[in-house]
Amino acid sequence: MDDELLSVRVAELYYDENKTQDEIGALLGISRWKAGRLLSQARENGIVRIEIVHPRARRLTAERELRERFGLADAVVVPNPENSDGVLGRVAQAAADYLTSLRPVPRMLGVSWGRTLTEVAERLPDGWATGVSVVQINGGVSLNRRPGTAATLASTIAQRGRGHVTLLPSPAILERLSTKQAIEADRTVAEVLARAASANAYLFSAGVGDEQSALVESGYLQAEEVQELARKGAIGDVVGRYIDANGNIVDPALDERTVGLGLERLREAATAIFVVAGETKHDIARAVVMSGLCTVLITDESTARALLEEI
């Protein structure tokens, strides 16, 4: 037999028949060392494909490629489930696991809000940290149907981290610039924003640029306004700020009425953890990663592949 066919036979005996390399050598008339070498060749040549099937498994090759391609400090990629409805849960669990294992533990963690981060907060175990300070980095006081979302998730992260929380008592977007300037001039709000700017790690996600946006559901924007932003090139929002495919603000006037951390602070941060999941987020994920808004990416395999195939 040539080496390729021999590799197939060795792989069949090893993986299907549970034979040892010594037993395979005796059956095929080769040394155990050659049996081992042929097994390695079988994996390298794609004759054997090993897949770890578990909801909390990771795709280490994709993680390495993302780090190298985009200069990320770290990346976490989880396999997509058969049912696409479960992808957010898997990514959220991966983000919770990442925070739990993060060393050193952030002294002060700045957090945004939204559906994705709510899922992350709910999956954090009690005692994931000890004494962590959590600060809300963008306004989130709901105007209608989403009461308490921002405050609840920030408080949950802090409570389970056995620390304390500092909330930003402001809506995300104000109707008038003068109102926004007055709110930011308030001593309490100004102190929260200063704490947010001094956080040594950030946790955030991104929203899509359509009527499904959390900013629409929370009453800050109308569906027609988001459609107009899309016509201007917006593909989604990061901490409430709408950006285009290059990571640039699409509507400076709207951005001036937005309360919270600016995008440049995320770009300057030593640790900015971006959590994103699902096909609808591919465009905004690409914009965030390629414009340097994050140092750590936590996502699903489909999103990772979409990023890696871009260039």
Side-chain angles (χ1 to χ4, degrees):
M1 287 186 284
D2 61 30
D3 273 4
E4 182 176 1
L5 184 53
L6 199 54
S7 290
V8 174
R9 294 291 174 262
V10 169
E12 289 171 338
L13 289 167
Y14 187 80
Y15 291 106
D16 291 341
E17 300 297 326
N18 295 315
K19 300 294 186 184
T20 67
Q21 292 180 24
D22 282 325
E23 290 172 329
I24 292 169
L27 286 168
L28 298 179
I30 60 177
S31 70
R32 69 179 305 273
W33 308 111
K34 185 169 185 178
R37 178 171 61 81
L38 290 169
L39 273 176
S40 297
Q41 286 181 1
R43 290 192 293 268
E44 292 167 2
N45 296 335
I47 295 170
V48 172
R49 295 178 182 175
I50 299 174
E51 182 179 11
I52 301 171
V53 182
H54 190 277
R56 293 164 85 167
R58 290 169 56 172
R59 296 294 189 244
L60 301 184
T61 300
E63 292 177 4
R64 183 182 67 252
E65 291 175 356
L66 286 168
R67 290 193 300 267
E68 294 173 353
R69 182 76 62 84
F70 299 107
L72 297 170
D74 208 351
V76 174
V77 178
V78 298
N80 286 81
E82 293 183 7
N83 183 351
S84 61
D85 292 340
V87 67
L88 176 56
R90 284 197 178 186
V91 172
Q93 183 62 63
D97 292 342
Y98 188 85
L99 281 177
T100 302
S101 64
L102 191 60
R103 296 293 181 273
V105 176
R107 297 186 307 279
M108 186 179 298
L109 176 66
V111 301
S112 184
W113 57 275
R115 302 181 194 95
T116 301
L117 294 195
T118 297
E119 294 281 343
V120 176
E122 290 175 353
R123 286 167 171 77
L124 279 170
D126 184 37
W128 74 269
T130 302
V132 65
S133 296
V134 177
V135 58
Q136 187 182 326
I137 63 175
N138 60 312
V141 175
S142 181
L143 302 183
N144 54 20
R145 290 174 292 173
R146 294 173 63 87
T149 298
T152 299
L153 82 86
S155 298
T156 298
I157 293 173
Q159 181 181 14
R160 296 185 182 183
R162 297 173 184 172
H164 64 274
V165 64
T166 301
L167 300 176
L168 181 56
S170 169
I173 301 172
L174 279 303
E175 288 189 7
R176 296 193 176 106
L177 177 59
S178 58
T179 306
K180 184 252 192 177
Q181 292 171 334
I183 286 177
E184 290 191 340
D186 178 83
R187 185 178 66 181
T188 300
V189 174
E191 289 177 354
V192 176
L193 292 173
R195 287 178 66 85
S198 66
N200 58 319
Y202 295 100
L203 177 70
F204 68 101
S205 187
V208 292
D210 60 25
E211 63 275 6
Q212 302 301 315
S213 168
L215 291 171
V216 174
E217 290 192 4
S218 296
Y220 296 115
L221 297 172
Q222 299 299 314
E224 297 77 16
E225 293 176 291
V226 177
Q227 291 169 3
E228 178 60 27
L229 287 167
R231 283 192 286 271
K232 293 180 179 179
I235 56 172
D237 75 278
V238 178
V239 294
R241 301 179 187 276
Y242 280 87
I243 62 173
D244 62 19
N246 297 314
N248 300 316
I249 297 296
V250 297
D251 189 331
L254 175 65
D255 193 63
E256 287 182 351
R257 295 187 282 112
T258 301
V259 180
L261 199 72
L263 297 185
E264 286 309 310
R265 179 66 190 101
L266 288 180
R267 289 192 175 97
E268 297 167 354
T271 303
I273 305 167
F274 176 44
V275 187
V276 63
E279 186 175 351
T280 61
K281 301 285 187 76
H282 285 184
D283 287 343
I284 188 67
R286 186 178 297 111
V288 169
V289 172
M290 296 188 71
S291 64
L293 282 166
C294 67
T295 64
V296 178
L297 171 65
I298 302 176
T299 192
D300 59 275
E301 188 172 14
S302 176
T303 303
R305 289 300 168 201
L307 292 171
L308 292 167
E309 291 169 2
E310 177 67 15
I311 299 176

